[in-house]
Amino acid sequence: MKSETSFFSKTIIKEDLKRFWGIGALYFLALLFTGPIYIFMINSNNLDRVNYTIEKFLDIYKSGFELIYTVAVPIILATLIFRYLQLKNSSGMTHSFPFTRTMLLNSHIVSGLVILTLPILINLLIMLIAYTNLYTGTEIVLTDVYRWFFITLLLNFTVFLMTVFTGMISGVSFVQAVLSLIFLFLPLGLTGLVLATLDRILFGFVADNTILENFAMNVIPLTNGFNGGNTDPLLIIWYLMLLAILFFASRFLYIKRNLENATDPIAFNILKPLFKYGFTFCTMILGGLYFSEMAKDNQIWLYFGFFIGALLGYIISEMIVQKSIWVFNRLIGLVPFIVASGLLLTIMELDLTGYEKHLPDLDKVESAYFGYSINSKTFKQDSRLFHKKDNFIPIKELHRLIVNNKEAIDKRHNFITRNIAIGYKYSNGDTLMRKYTVPQSFIEDNPYIKKIYESEEYKIINNGIFRVNLSKVDYVDINARYVDRQVKLTDKNEINELINVIQKDILNQTYEEMTSNREGWASIRIMYTDDTKELHDKLYYNKIIHLEWDKSYKGLENFFKQKGYYNYLRVLPEDIDFAVVGKLKNSKDVDRIYKETMDFETVQPEIIEGEKIEIRDKEKIEKLLRTYKRGYPEAGKYIVIFHLKNSRKIIGWYNEKTL
Amino acid sequence: MIEVKNLYKYFDGFKALDDVYLNVQKGSIYGLVGPNGAGKTTLIKHLTGIYKQDKGDVKILGQKVYENINLKSKIGYIPDDLYFFPQYTIKNMASFYKTIYPNWNERRYKELQEIFEIDENKKINKLSKGMQRQVLFWLTLSTMPEVMILDEPIDGLDPLMRRKIWNLVVEDVAERETTVLVSSHNLKELENICDYVGIMYRGKMLIENNLDDLKSDVHKIQTAYKDDFPQNLTKELEILHQEKRGSVDLLIVKGEKDKVISSFNKYKPIILDILPLSLEEIFIYELGGVGYEIRNILF
């Protein structure tokens, strides 16, 4: 009895339940109307609907309503239960009663948790009944029902305790609720903002989404949902610890709190500068990103945004702390902040840390990466890395070239740009990652890129076909483009031969051929049954390897000729009625041109400058077919339209060189 | 009984209580007087364990009040701004008080219902401010407190109800030796019921005294001498105030009555009258300069 009275007060719990049970009841109804009730409303003949409803309800992270409840209900409940702390009269009266603060806190928390748990528990029972009696699907198992219960509880408890915690920090219920909401998203939001800002300031900085996925999202169970709801046991332990931390922090603050600070937005003097400068920091970053986005990567606007953001943020936070709009005489406090952040930004902008100019010592490099995007996960996939020392050299030289041409590359507005990502892994496990956005013109005719592209390793890394395990290939589908002709290879030997031929062709390709932008004759899909993890990376579509029958694949051409598929699997001059070639008046408005040529039977005269030539000669058509380009006709001045006999059209481009 | 020593409290750098002391005897009624903003409520919130002092001791029944459940269950507190749980009836509130105050006396509760004549099924927040105050007296008296701390308790009560409540309080003191501390900004209101009075001004306790002692200690004397006023008297007596009205001297003198009179008689006065002194005058003269400053606010 003695120990019970010192930690809890039954009276408080009872009174809380009496006063706030309505919120629990509403939560119960809201949950009920989100899922369970439909299960019993749907005609039980419609099993698919029943199954779908059960599956959807139990996947809390995908059910928007349930997630909204887990944020809104605990915030409202905690704000109301701890409302007594935020008013002078109720906090005075309550604390004159024979309770200790610990008793008050513990008891209010217990009643809050009970009010949150009951509705979830009842819904769990309903779902258990529904699952055992109605569910016929295979998507979920019994543990998923319990998992739903556990995660829902966890989310509710976290948000509730977070709001209790912010209730101790703040003396205003509204601020308490808003702060709680902010804190829940702070780890993710702040990390994201900082990464985005560094990306703008530091040339070559990689906004590594692995940090977001592995860290920032996981800190709070709520944002973990955006990451697919990871339930790693270690993470669960962290979440339980987080609950404990929030509880003990609240207890500590409650004991320290001066009750006369009720109605103060921030109840602790020591936290006021922290709040003010933290808030200012966030708005500074937001301002910088906003203006830099508006002004398209202009550094001056970025810094203007930083300043405006910091100024506004400081004024607003000062207004909140002082509870007054007359804070302009206090702006002096912004000066140290501006000096400190100015110093930090100068260090980064002038690259005093040497971050931007840093190049690796190749002797210590174990493997390297070249591609379009990179994050720390990249280094975990050995098959995507270069291991031959010879190939490190062009990568580093390219890196050096970019670093030395920072000024030119940074002024990339109005150009077509491409991403280049470079990475090195040192023998001691350290990594160096850089990502650059460079103008297309920088890539074209770049000797280092040519060297990298033509290296055997690059080709192997970037073509899944080099990792095909023949014994696991089911079949190969080959579909001709523009004509309705396809072949399905199922013979293992034939498939084996095909793969070997393609591999050889790829290894023989030149840089120019690899980047020619020519459309392939046919698309090849290798259907695969493999469960190794590597297949899940971006280069492959799940269990299919997509390939093109590239027009430069001489070996494949011979192979198909030999097998008799050649004429069958490509568009032939015989398939084409006639082709029209003309010079484009203006190649800038490509989208419009493309649309117009698709819409009308013949090329509209206004986009063609001067004469258009109609070609019916088979040999010439074959030549045109082999050389036209797809994609964005930046340098393309000529258009070709093939009119097929099956009434489809092929639209392609040439520039003066290829013509 | 109630003992406060060297109490300091700061609100954001503002010194709300400045080296405050307070002593209340068991079974006495102590009047805490001071103008608005003097620190009365702040002091009271320390006595009821609501505020935590920055420095100093706050003890009741020899124990520290802060976070002391046992002690707090013996204190009855009527705050200046009332609070009841929303939507609660008097009966609901009474059952709440019953569970948290171990000395709750149901018989007393019923008896008091007769006196206050309020329907216990009424929602408290629907009642007027004055009625709410009565409800809180009703509830607080039912907890059989050993100490009652009343912050401006009769504000908003009609004269009849004031008398009723004072009667209840005084009765309680007489029967159960309850100790009462009551604050007010009006000294006259407390003059008739208090045994002790403490005056607060700008966060300080200016003076604390037994009313009877005060009254028997300070004397207003009207006197006239054939010759000039004997200057030796100013050396013999502690004269707080002296003024001349024609041939008559008006003096406020501190000291034992007999001694004072015999001192005056030594110089054969033509007239020697001892006049009654109001509490107001006592304080004004006692406090000297400060007394004049606060007389307009306090009395």
Side-chain angles (χ1 to χ4, degrees):
Chain A
M1 191 64 201
K2 192 77 195 157
S3 69
E4 190 191 44
T5 48
S6 55
F7 288 115
F8 298 102
S9 157
K10 275 190 204 152
T11 311
I12 299 174
I13 298 175
K14 214 179 81 197
E15 298 300 319
D16 273 352
L17 294 180
K18 214 157 94 189
R19 290 173 63 194
F20 302 112
W21 65 271
I23 294 171
L26 277 180
Y27 185 31
F28 167 70
L29 289 177
L31 273 178
L32 189 73
F33 293 156
T34 314
I37 199 162
Y38 296 111
I39 298 166
F40 300 101
M41 270 164 61
I42 298 164
N43 188 339
S44 52
N45 291 330
N46 195 345
L47 285 175
D48 284 348
R49 280 289 302 281
V50 173
N51 290 346
Y52 173 73
T53 311
I54 293 177
E55 284 160 12
K56 200 176 145 235
F57 182 73
L58 289 179
D59 193 351
I60 174 166
Y61 284 124
K62 291 215 179 85
S63 165
F65 279 118
E66 284 181 62
L67 267 190
I68 291 170
Y69 302 150
T70 57
V71 176
V73 175
I75 287 187
I76 292 171
L77 183 64
T79 310
L80 286 177
I81 289 184
F82 286 89
R83 174 90 185 128
Y84 75 90
L85 258 181
Q86 321 295 34
L87 295 173
K88 296 227 170 182
N89 60 348
S90 53
S91 93
M93 198 67 209
T94 311
H95 291 88
S96 75
F97 290 142
F99 305 122
T100 61
R101 293 172 182 225
T102 321
M103 258 166 91
L104 283 165
L105 180 73
N106 292 350
S107 312
H108 285 311
I109 287 179
V110 166
S111 38
L113 297 186
V114 169
I115 290 171
L116 291 173
T117 306
L118 282 177
I120 304 170
L121 193 68
I122 300 171
N123 270 292
L124 169 78
L125 295 177
I126 294 175
M127 287 316 287
L128 282 176
I129 293 168
Y131 178 80
T132 43
N133 296 315
L134 298 172
Y135 188 68
T136 53
T138 52
E139 284 282 305
I140 50 170
V141 290
L142 191 60
T143 45
D144 288 324
V145 185
Y146 291 114
R147 186 171 173 268
W148 170 85
F149 175 69
F150 176 75
I151 291 179
T152 311
L153 270 191
L154 179 69
L155 294 182
N156 273 293
F157 285 11
T158 310
V159 177
F160 181 80
L161 285 172
M162 183 62 91
T163 315
V164 173
F165 173 68
T166 56
M168 299 305 140
I169 292 175
S170 177
V172 178
S173 295
F174 178 71
V175 176
Q176 171 188 4
V178 173
L179 268 186
S180 172
L181 204 59
I182 290 175
F183 282 1
L184 288 171
F185 293 97
L186 196 64
L188 176 60
L190 196 59
T191 318
L193 287 176
V194 168
L195 285 178
T197 307
L198 288 176
D199 194 23
R200 313 244 159 181
I201 298 173
L202 289 176
F203 183 59
F205 181 79
V206 179
D208 188 354
N209 49 12
T210 330
I211 297 175
L212 292 180
E213 282 169 21
N214 289 355
F215 168 70
M217 278 186 174
N218 289 344
V219 176
I220 305 285
L222 193 68
T223 48
N224 175 16
F226 305 136
N227 201 11
N230 187 349
T231 44
D232 183 355
L234 268 177
L235 213 53
I236 299 296
I237 291 173
W238 158 246
Y239 292 150
L240 297 178
M241 271 168 61
L242 181 67
L243 295 180
I245 291 170
L246 286 173
F247 168 71
F248 283 110
S250 306
R251 208 180 81 139
F252 176 77
L253 290 178
Y254 197 171
I255 291 169
K256 289 268 164 208
R257 180 169 161 137
N258 282 325
L259 294 181
E260 61 267 25
N261 291 341
T263 74
D264 279 5
I266 303 292
F268 290 89
N269 279 334
I270 200 168
L271 293 179
K272 283 178 184 170
L274 198 71
F275 168 79
K276 241 164 38 187
Y277 290 119
F279 190 88
T280 308
F281 181 74
C282 291
T283 54
M284 176 181 83
I285 291 182
L286 270 176
L289 288 177
Y290 175 77
F291 278 103
S292 127
E293 192 60 41
M294 289 288 124
K296 287 278 168 263
D297 292 323
N298 186 321
Q299 290 306 92
I300 291 167
W301 282 101
L302 176 71
Y303 287 102
F304 173 76
F306 280 155
F307 179 72
I308 289 294
L311 185 66
L312 280 178
Y314 189 81
I315 291 173
I316 291 168
S317 60
E318 190 76 79
M319 282 176 178
I320 293 173
V321 169
Q322 305 297 341
K323 282 200 289 183
S324 155
I325 56 166
W326 304 110
V327 295
F328 297 96
N329 54 340
R330 292 172 174 269
L331 285 185
I332 191 81
L334 184 58
V335 174
F337 180 85
I338 287 185
V339 170
S341 32
L343 212 63
L344 198 70
L345 290 170
T346 312
I347 288 172
M348 287 198 277
E349 190 62 40
L350 298 179
D351 194 24
L352 296 179
T353 54
Y355 176 90
E356 294 177 358
K357 293 211 170 56
H358 182 62
L359 289 171
D361 175 1
L362 284 189
D363 290 340
K364 290 178 188 151
V365 170
E366 184 185 79
S367 52
Y369 173 82
F370 173 87
Y372 305 110
S373 70
I374 190 167
N375 58 39
S376 32
K377 270 191 219 153
T378 309
F379 295 103
K380 299 218 168 84
Q381 296 165 306
D382 238 16
S383 63
R384 294 180 68 181
L385 303 177
F386 291 86
H387 291 91
K388 289 205 178 99
K389 294 256 174 198
D390 288 350
N391 291 328
F392 300 169
I393 298 164
I395 292 177
K396 183 181 170 181
E397 289 311 311
L398 175 69
H399 189 176
R400 191 198 304 277
L401 189 70
I402 293 172
V403 167
N404 291 341
N405 287 287
K406 179 187 169 185
E407 306 301 317
I409 288 169
D410 249 0
K411 289 199 187 79
R412 59 188 133 93
H413 333 294
N414 306 324
F415 289 118
I416 297 170
T417 55
R418 287 270 297 277
N419 285 337
I420 288 181
I422 289 171
Y424 310 91
K425 189 177 177 183
Y426 298 106
S427 343
N428 64 7
D430 286 354
T431 58
L432 175 65
M433 287 190 279
R434 293 291 184 269
K435 197 178 117 188
Y436 304 97
T437 304
V438 300
Q440 176 78 21
S441 56
F442 181 84
I443 292 190
E444 280 165 9
D445 307 323
N446 187 304
Y448 305 117
I449 293 181
K450 180 176 160 71
K451 221 170 186 172
I452 297 166
Y453 265 58
E454 288 181 354
S455 72
E456 191 182 310
E457 262 191 317
Y458 178 83
K459 288 173 176 174
I460 291 173
I461 288 166
N462 290 288
N463 288 289
I465 196 164
F466 287 99
R467 280 177 295 282
V468 162
N469 183 342
L470 191 67
S471 61
K472 287 190 176 160
V473 174
D474 287 338
Y475 60 91
V476 177
D477 254 344
I478 307 167
N479 283 283
R481 289 200 185 277
Y482 300 106
V483 285
D484 190 21
R485 298 196 289 255
Q486 58 273 325
V487 165
K488 185 174 180 177
L489 302 182
T490 47
D491 181 61
K492 286 270 161 174
N493 289 330
E494 213 171 39
I495 292 172
N496 188 18
E497 222 175 312
L498 174 91
I499 289 173
N500 282 332
V501 166
I502 293 174
Q503 284 179 348
K504 227 171 266 168
D505 277 338
I506 288 175
L507 291 179
N508 285 331
Q509 261 191 322
T510 62
Y511 174 60
E512 290 74 17
E513 284 167 345
M514 289 164 85
T515 55
S516 69
N517 242 340
R518 281 184 306 195
E519 196 169 28
W521 290 124
S523 72
I524 303 169
R525 291 190 304 161
I526 300 174
M527 308 306 277
Y528 209 82
T529 45
D530 195 310
D531 39 18
T532 58
K533 268 188 190 163
E534 287 224 333
L535 276 170
H536 291 290
D537 86 52
K538 277 187 198 150
L539 290 172
Y540 320 95
Y541 289 102
N542 229 346
K543 287 171 183 175
I544 306 167
I545 294 179
H546 282 271
L547 285 168
E548 283 278 301
W549 171 9
D550 196 282
K551 283 166 186 170
S552 68
Y553 290 174
K554 292 283 176 281
L556 189 62
E557 214 172 295
N558 286 331
F559 172 77
F560 283 150
K561 275 180 187 162
Q562 203 185 316
K563 295 283 173 190
Y565 299 139
Y566 180 71
N567 287 336
Y568 191 64
L569 283 176
R570 56 157 287 200
V571 175
L572 293 167
E574 285 73 28
D575 294 315
I576 286 158
D577 210 2
F578 64 93
V580 178
V581 177
K583 191 171 187 195
L584 277 177
K585 253 185 199 163
N586 184 354
S587 61
K588 270 185 189 158
D589 197 358
V590 184
D591 288 338
R592 194 176 62 86
I593 295 168
Y594 195 87
K595 197 168 178 302
E596 281 178 5
T597 46
M598 287 310 282
D599 284 350
F600 298 101
E601 272 301 304
T602 50
V603 177
Q604 292 303 296
E606 66 262 27
I607 62 163
I608 304 289
E609 194 180 275
E611 219 183 331
K612 55 178 182 177
I613 310 157
E614 215 173 88
I615 297 167
R616 290 177 187 272
D617 181 77
K618 298 286 177 233
E619 263 176 55
K620 279 183 184 162
I621 286 176
E622 169 71 7
K623 220 177 220 170
L624 288 173
L625 274 176
R626 281 195 174 272
T627 50
Y628 76 87
K629 286 188 173 197
R630 293 286 303 173
Y632 205 73
E634 195 202 358
K637 294 249 174 84
Y638 295 86
I639 184 171
V640 60
I641 300 166
F642 300 98
H643 292 260
L644 273 73
K645 283 175 180 160
N646 63 9
S647 84
R648 293 168 80 174
K649 276 183 272 187
I650 306 172
I651 299 164
W653 318 96
Y654 304 99
N655 54 28
E656 261 138 53
K657 238 190 324 189
T658 47
L659 203 73
Chain B
M1 184 71 183
I2 302 178
E3 199 183 347
V4 174
K5 262 191 226 157
N6 306 106
L7 182 63
Y8 288 86
K9 181 71 180 179
Y10 297 86
F11 290 147
D12 272 336
F14 168 73
K15 210 184 234 179
L17 293 182
D18 183 0
D19 196 11
V20 168
Y21 59 88
L22 178 88
N23 288 288
V24 183
Q25 308 291 322
K26 188 175 165 64
S28 67
I29 300 180
Y30 186 105
L32 184 64
V33 192
N36 294 323
K40 300 185 302 285
T41 299
T42 307
L43 174 59
I44 282 177
K45 286 192 169 175
H46 282 90
L47 297 178
T48 45
I50 297 168
Y51 285 175
K52 193 177 177 180
Q53 66 268 36
D54 289 324
K55 216 175 115 188
D57 272 339
V58 181
K59 281 184 183 168
I60 293 181
L61 295 165
Q63 292 174 28
K64 286 188 176 154
V65 189
Y66 193 72
E67 297 285 76
N68 188 335
I69 300 181
N70 231 332
L71 185 60
K72 275 157 92 181
S73 66
K74 292 175 187 159
I75 300 173
Y77 169 49
I78 309 275
D80 58 342
D81 47 354
L82 304 170
Y83 173 78
F84 301 95
F85 297 145
Q87 303 299 322
Y88 270 44
T89 62
I90 299 170
K91 208 174 169 180
N92 295 150
M93 211 65 205
S95 70
F96 173 72
Y97 269 66
K98 193 153 92 182
T99 53
I100 61 171
Y101 287 99
N103 297 330
W104 176 268
N105 188 326
E106 191 68 25
R107 212 188 63 214
R108 186 131 201 243
Y109 175 73
K110 296 281 179 223
E111 282 168 14
L112 288 168
Q113 189 174 8
E114 312 273 300
I115 295 171
F116 287 108
E117 293 176 324
I118 306 172
D119 178 4
E120 66 169 353
N121 291 313
K122 280 228 165 91
K123 285 193 172 161
I124 304 178
N125 285 349
K126 294 252 166 81
L127 299 174
S128 73
K129 276 265 175 291
M131 298 274 267
Q132 290 183 6
R133 209 168 275 280
Q134 292 174 43
V135 170
L136 194 54
F137 260 107
W138 178 6
L139 293 170
T140 307
L141 287 169
S142 304
T143 65
M144 310 301 272
E146 285 184 36
V147 178
M148 277 176 63
I149 293 170
L150 317 172
D151 196 355
E152 313 242 350
I154 48 169
D155 264 22
L157 296 184
D158 59 68
L160 202 73
M161 195 43 74
R162 282 182 192 205
R163 221 171 49 219
K164 242 182 209 176
I165 282 182
W166 283 136
N167 281 342
L168 283 169
V169 171
V170 172
E171 216 172 85
D172 217 47
V173 174
E175 280 174 18
R176 299 177 39 245
E177 282 213 294
T178 315
T179 310
V180 178
L181 182 135
V182 49
S183 84
S184 175
H185 53 263
N186 192 340
L187 185 63
K188 279 180 191 137
E189 198 175 270
L190 299 180
E191 197 172 337
N192 299 322
I193 56 159
C194 291
D195 310 318
Y196 287 84
V197 167
I199 294 194
M200 283 190 81
Y201 186 63
R202 293 190 176 163
K204 278 181 189 277
M205 183 66 80
L206 291 182
I207 181 172
E208 197 188 46
N209 222 323
N210 185 315
L211 273 189
D212 293 338
D213 286 355
L214 271 180
K215 282 186 175 167
S216 62
D217 213 31
V218 183
H219 317 279
K220 190 177 186 180
I221 290 165
Q222 215 173 3
T223 180
Y225 288 91
K226 219 187 278 169
D227 307 316
D228 277 349
F229 184 79
Q231 288 309 312
N232 279 345
L233 264 177
T234 49
K235 284 169 201 157
E236 286 169 39
L237 293 168
E238 192 182 339
I239 296 173
L240 298 174
H241 181 78
Q242 183 177 16
E243 61 181 79
K244 210 167 170 68
R245 291 182 180 168
S247 56
V248 179
D249 285 291
L250 191 71
L251 296 112
I252 309 287
V253 183
K254 198 173 174 180
E256 236 173 83
K257 195 176 176 182
D258 297 342
K259 227 174 165 184
V260 170
I261 291 173
S262 65
S263 295
F264 276 99
N265 281 334
K266 259 198 286 181
Y267 299 95
K268 311 271 186 244
I270 302 167
I271 313 164
L272 179 69
D273 285 338
I274 304 201
L275 304 172
L277 210 68
S278 73
L279 197 56
E280 173 185 346
E281 285 170 307
I282 298 175
F283 278 113
I284 288 167
Y285 295 128
E286 189 80 23
L287 295 174
V290 189
Y292 283 105
E293 222 177 289
I294 61 170
R295 87 180 281 190
N296 296 326
I297 354 178
L298 199 56
F299 303 103

